[in-house]
Amino acid sequence: MAHLSTDLPPEALGLVADALVDAGVADEDSPGLARALLEDHPLWDPVEWSLPGASPLSGGEEPFPALLCCDDPHSPRCGTRLAQGITREQTARLARALGTWPA
């Protein structure tokens, strides 16, 4: 059986469950989904996600600040930004829910 990573802060499960509810997941489903998202998985190592820098192609502007990108070159998600195709307002709401919105 998979288990939650020991590297996670104790409040991670609750924060992710709350963020899922904010994103539209039913209250009763969010704890189980949060656990599934945070569990160690026997088939792969967790990847690193970080805030992207400004793109030289966008004139140095950061079009969607505060949304994480996958940094692991071995992951099929490498270079992929979370929540593609959403509006700036939705981006801000998602980043606040994930705790990555700048203060």
Side-chain angles (χ1 to χ4, degrees):
M1 178 177 194
H3 63 283
L4 293 179
S5 170
T6 56
D7 294 335
L8 291 174
E11 66 275 8
L13 186 63
L15 289 172
V16 171
D18 290 346
L20 290 168
V21 170
D22 288 345
V25 174
D27 285 337
E28 62 272 8
D29 296 333
S30 66
L33 181 54
R35 179 171 286 283
L37 291 169
L38 294 172
E39 284 180 342
D40 287 335
H41 196 283
L43 297 179
W44 59 78
D45 291 327
V47 298
E48 295 292 321
W49 293 79
S50 64
L51 294 172
S55 167
L57 299 177
S58 67
E61 295 180 21
E62 212 176 300
F64 291 96
L67 286 186
L68 302 174
C69 284
C70 177
D71 288 342
D72 188 335
H74 300 292
S75 172
R77 298 170 291 188
C78 185
T80 301
R81 191 187 76 237
L82 288 177
Q84 296 180 37
I86 64 175
T87 67
R88 289 186 79 69
E89 181 181 333
Q90 291 168 325
T91 298
R93 287 176 48 209
L94 177 60
R96 284 186 192 99
L98 294 172
T100 58
W101 190 255

